[in-house]
Amino acid sequence: MSETASVLPGMKVAASRGGWLIWTLLAAAFALAPLLFRSGTSLTMMSLMGIAIIFALSYNMLLGQTGMLSFGHAVYFGLGAYFTVHAMNAVIEARLPVPVAAMPLVGGAAGLGFALLFGWVSTKRSGTAFAMISLGLAELVGSSSLILRSFFGGEEGVSTNRTKLLRLFDWNFGAQVQVYYLIAAWCLLCIALMYALTRTPFGRMCNAVRDNPERAQFVGYDPHRVRYIAFVLSGFFAGIAGGLTAINFELANAALFGASQSGNVLLATFIGGVGHFFGPILGAILVTFLQNMLSDVTEVWQLYFGLMFIATVMYAPGGISGLIMMHRPVWRAGALSRLMPGYGMMVVPVALAAAGAILVIEMATQIGVHGAQGTTMKLLGIGFDARSVPPWLVAGAMLGVGGLLARLVGRRIAAAWDDVRAMSLTHGGVA
Amino acid sequence: MTAPALELIGLKKNFGPAEIIRGVDLAIPRAERHAIIGPNGAGKSTLFNLISGLIPLSAGEIRLNGEAVSGKPPFEINRRGLSRSFQVTNIFPAMSVFENVRCAVLWAKGERYAFWRSVGGNRAVTERTEEVLSAINLQSRRDVQAGVLTYAEQRALEIGITMAGGANVILLDEPTAGMSKAETERAVELIRRISEGRTLLIVEHDMSVVFGLADRISVLVYGEIIATGPPAEIRASRQVRDAYLGEEVP
């Protein structure tokens, strides 16, 4: 995560050139995505992904960069959305010359303001105390949203109309593709800003406070102040994400504050990986995709989601980005081919076990949820009765054989890793 | 006459009914290398924790360069020119060696909490970091995660972090504990170099280190200083022998 400037000037230039390449590719991907995925569903999903990326990165400023586990990050997201909706309505009513593209700033300001307010107390400690206070604040704001109806609009929330604001370049933001580009532009800007933050003196001290708050005090820094600034900046970006959500849905409601919203951002960030800057970006894309896709395929998609999270925590605590970065030195040493056979073989047992697990879950759902309507069901076009014995036997066999094979192949992969490590030690290439 | 670099006046600390530090008075002039010795449980580490602000005083006063610092939090005391190392290695384990040292340089170079400029942009910070890395001989390990360094390397890094900010009073808590003879020699050499022109207060069990390094020595026994003086005087003192040194003095 901590890439230090190289002593050799030539290498420095090469590194920054690589950096520009990545940013250009990222911008191009944002710009061209709607040309590749033209359907309305894809546009909607990509808009949500852009919002989720900002939200997850803002969350990782706390979790990954500063070592603070928050259970209430949706507070700043939700308040950002509400303030944006109210500001949009005020702008429409007063006919102010403000374009819709500027409105996420209102959300950012709201997130920042409430983080200033709530953060002072909660950031005095990190760890469990901070986590508990974040949960309490989330409850507090969640319940006030039901009490203060004039502001929060009760159950149905507050709506707005994004097409009624000042038009720039004849864009009225009625079409989803225009909203997508608005979100993409903000997303790119926020990614760049949050990345730049990690490369500042403050960003480095966030890592220092995460690693060892006591030691940070003895190099002149107040850990509370560092956490507080991180919390406030994180609230700002979460508020922008909320503001974009308000523009996207033309609505703000209490669900935006919800515990599931706070939980989702934690899941996305963790699955993507907290140890590397780009981790939450991958996590946000994947989780948004699965939320939209899985919910079409199965009604218990949240269960699969939870299983995926548990698998990440147990087998890949560094998340997807951790897995990727683990292979970078191997790839540089040209030894990736040694790991590939093992990985290739692993596909079979994993697929087998996953199929067994899916069968068990779906049959259990059929019996438990739809038992009254009958227990015949269809999976991959094959019809069978969930109460009969054979499908359960098949599922059990798949799980058992898959698990056994996974263990055998796992040993082979571990041996291959030992080879790679030993090789790199003799060549001195891999850290 | 200028004020002493560090002055302890009637320092007391009790944990409940247990008195650990029972009235310590000590004045250390600028640029002196001062060692504190004493048997286990004499309160040496507690004394360091009091001076550096890690734990609050029960009574007394601490003056750093003439200014009262008792009751201030550690980061305030650090900003006023006092830096310390720890008996148990206390570094930033997930960060690179380079980042560990750089974090210790930032405040002293005026970067404070800046989140609007690049950390690599301040030449003075980078130069000082390089300087410290070469002083502790860890340039070749600069990009390695600090947590995976060898024990001796981590101890060197600990000293590097302590000296990096340019504090004029440095407290070292058993810097050579757990080191081999060769490693100890290198560490002493390093300490001698970095404490040149600065005030050093060191707790150490290795008597050859203490007598080789210190200008003056204080003997702490049961929370009280029973003697302070140059090494020869301490070695000759009957009282010190009885209380602590025994017959194994070099």
Side-chain angles (χ1 to χ4, degrees):
Chain A
M1 164 169 32
S2 45
E3 277 175 321
T4 49
S6 167
V7 252
L8 298 167
M11 285 177 71
K12 211 173 202 169
V13 172
S16 69
R17 217 178 266 157
W20 278 114
L21 184 67
I22 289 174
W23 288 109
T24 313
L25 285 177
L26 190 65
F30 273 117
L32 299 179
L35 305 180
L36 282 174
F37 307 99
R38 289 155 185 272
S39 75
T41 346
S42 333
L43 272 178
T44 311
M45 195 195 294
M46 289 189 300
S47 304
L48 292 177
M49 281 175 182
I51 294 168
I53 288 172
I54 302 175
F55 193 30
L57 281 175
S58 82
Y59 186 76
N60 204 38
M61 283 173 73
L62 299 180
L63 183 61
Q65 310 285 348
T66 324
M68 300 150 85
L69 173 64
S70 167
F71 291 125
H73 204 49
V75 165
Y76 311 94
F77 178 80
L79 286 169
Y82 268 105
F83 276 84
T84 304
V85 163
H86 282 296
M88 282 166 79
N89 288 339
V91 165
I92 293 166
E93 194 159 326
R95 297 174 181 281
L96 292 173
V98 184
V100 79
M103 295 317 288
L105 273 180
V106 175
L112 183 133
F114 281 95
L116 271 171
L117 189 69
F118 295 146
W120 183 252
V121 185
S122 61
T123 57
K124 287 207 168 161
R125 298 281 194 80
S126 65
T128 315
F130 172 79
M132 292 302 129
I133 295 175
S134 74
L135 196 60
L137 285 170
E139 281 298 309
L140 183 89
V141 174
S143 54
S144 359
S145 75
L146 297 176
I147 299 162
L148 301 170
R149 284 175 171 274
S150 56
F151 185 83
F152 291 104
E155 300 277 312
E156 64 273 24
V158 184
S159 58
T160 183
N161 185 343
R162 64 186 178 224
T163 62
K164 294 238 169 105
L165 277 81
L166 177 74
R167 289 187 189 188
L168 288 181
F169 313 113
D170 229 23
W171 277 34
N172 68 357
F173 293 100
Q176 185 63 33
V177 66
Q178 294 182 357
V179 177
Y180 165 80
Y181 277 115
L182 174 71
I183 291 171
W186 272 101
C187 184
L188 203 59
L189 179 68
C190 289
I191 293 176
L193 284 175
M194 283 189 266
Y195 180 69
L197 260 179
T198 65
R199 322 260 301 176
T200 64
F202 161 76
R204 294 307 194 216
M205 287 318 295
C206 284
N207 298 352
V209 165
R210 171 200 66 200
D211 271 19
N212 190 343
E214 186 190 64
R215 195 47 159 138
Q217 294 201 59
F218 290 98
V219 296
Y221 282 86
D222 179 358
H224 177 207
R225 182 69 66 90
V226 172
R227 283 190 209 108
Y228 185 49
I229 298 172
F231 191 81
V232 169
L233 293 174
S234 167
F236 173 71
F237 287 107
I240 288 181
L244 289 169
T245 304
I247 294 169
N248 188 46
F249 292 125
E250 299 182 296
L251 176 75
N253 60 25
L256 298 178
F257 296 118
S260 68
Q261 194 81 9
S262 289
N264 277 341
V265 71
L266 192 159
L267 255 58
T269 306
F270 201 89
I271 288 173
V274 298
H276 301 278
F277 180 81
F278 67 94
I281 300 180
L282 299 183
I285 292 173
L286 179 72
V287 166
T288 310
F289 178 78
L290 288 181
Q291 273 179 339
N292 285 269
M293 279 329 201
L294 276 181
S295 57
D296 287 346
V297 181
T298 169
E299 54 194 310
V300 287
W301 61 276
Q302 276 156 317
L303 188 70
Y304 290 104
F305 208 51
L307 285 174
M308 195 169 81
F309 180 64
I310 293 171
T312 307
V313 173
M314 285 178 65
Y315 299 110
I320 301 167
S321 61
L323 286 178
I324 293 173
M325 295 309 271
M326 196 169 89
H327 291 90
R328 199 166 73 149
V330 182
W331 180 64
R332 277 190 179 160
L336 207 55
S337 57
R338 286 169 180 252
L339 296 172
M340 279 307 154
Y343 288 168
M345 277 193 267
M346 198 56 150
V347 172
V348 177
V350 167
L352 208 57
I358 291 170
L359 193 51
V360 168
I361 291 170
E362 292 302 325
M363 286 192 294
T365 312
Q366 185 69 32
I367 296 169
V369 183
H370 307 294
Q373 285 92 19
T375 52
T376 50
M377 57 186 287
K378 247 183 171 184
L379 219 57
L380 295 174
I382 306 165
F384 55 90
D385 183 1
R387 277 232 165 82
S388 63
V389 178
W392 287 93
L393 283 180
V394 170
M398 285 200 278
L399 272 172
V401 174
L404 207 67
L405 284 178
R407 198 162 260 224
L408 290 175
V409 179
R411 273 193 210 139
R412 201 193 149 104
I413 292 176
W417 264 102
D418 285 344
D419 276 357
V420 168
R421 287 205 186 93
M423 197 179 83
S424 65
L425 275 180
T426 49
H427 292 286
V430 183
Chain B
M1 203 191 128
T2 53
L6 185 65
E7 201 176 3
L8 313 179
I9 304 156
L11 231 55
K12 282 188 185 165
K13 178 67 190 178
N14 40 282
F15 294 103
E19 267 199 315
I20 304 300
I21 300 293
R22 307 190 293 169
V24 165
D25 293 277
L26 187 63
I28 302 171
R30 266 158 223 256
E32 178 177 282
R33 295 195 181 101
H34 196 107
I36 294 182
I37 59 173
N40 283 330
K44 302 185 294 292
S45 285
T46 306
L47 190 62
F48 265 29
N49 291 342
L50 291 174
I51 298 171
S52 60
L54 188 62
I55 55 174
L57 294 172
S58 300
E61 190 170 280
I62 299 165
R63 290 199 190 134
L64 180 63
N65 301 314
E67 185 192 355
V69 293
S70 7
K72 290 201 190 318
F75 51 89
E76 293 275 358
I77 296 175
N78 178 269
R79 290 170 197 171
R80 284 167 171 76
L82 181 141
S83 185
R84 70 164 292 181
S85 76
F86 290 80
Q87 196 177 335
V88 177
T89 305
N90 208 344
I91 55 177
F92 305 113
M95 299 166 74
S96 72
V97 170
F98 181 88
E99 293 297 347
N100 265 267
V101 175
R102 180 153 72 178
C103 281
V105 173
L106 288 174
W107 189 276
K109 295 292 177 196
E111 286 294 340
R112 302 170 68 93
Y113 299 99
F115 55 82
W116 49 86
R117 54 177 177 249
S118 163
V119 69
N122 188 333
R123 285 191 80 90
V125 169
T126 314
E127 275 164 20
R128 176 67 184 153
T129 308
E130 298 291 349
E131 203 178 296
V132 173
L133 279 179
S134 85
I136 58 176
N137 209 9
L138 284 180
Q139 302 109 308
S140 61
R141 307 281 272 161
R142 53 187 295 138
D143 293 332
V144 177
Q145 230 187 11
V148 302
L149 292 176
T150 66
Y151 178 74
E153 286 173 331
Q154 288 192 352
R155 295 304 296 178
L157 178 59
E158 171 93 39
I159 293 175
I161 294 172
T162 307
M163 64 176 274
N168 59 22
V169 178
I170 292 180
L171 274 55
L172 299 180
D173 196 350
E174 298 200 27
T176 70
M179 283 189 182
S180 72
K181 204 162 173 58
E183 287 166 349
T184 302
E185 270 166 32
R186 273 200 296 275
V188 170
E189 199 38 55
L190 170 61
I191 294 166
R192 196 188 304 281
R193 252 185 302 135
I194 61 144
S195 58
E196 199 63 55
R198 307 200 208 185
T199 311
L200 176 72
L201 187 61
I202 181 172
V203 164
E204 185 54 65
H205 275 300
D206 187 330
M207 286 305 138
S208 64
V209 171
V210 169
F211 284 93
L213 200 60
D215 300 319
R216 284 199 306 157
I217 297 172
S218 289
V219 183
L220 188 71
V221 178
Y222 294 118
E224 279 173 313
I225 290 181
I226 59 165
T228 295
E233 198 178 293
I234 293 296
R235 193 179 287 145
S237 156
R238 176 92 226 163
Q239 194 191 4
V240 174
R241 277 172 186 267
D242 289 348
Y244 170 52
L245 287 175
E247 295 306 314
E248 41 171 334
V249 184

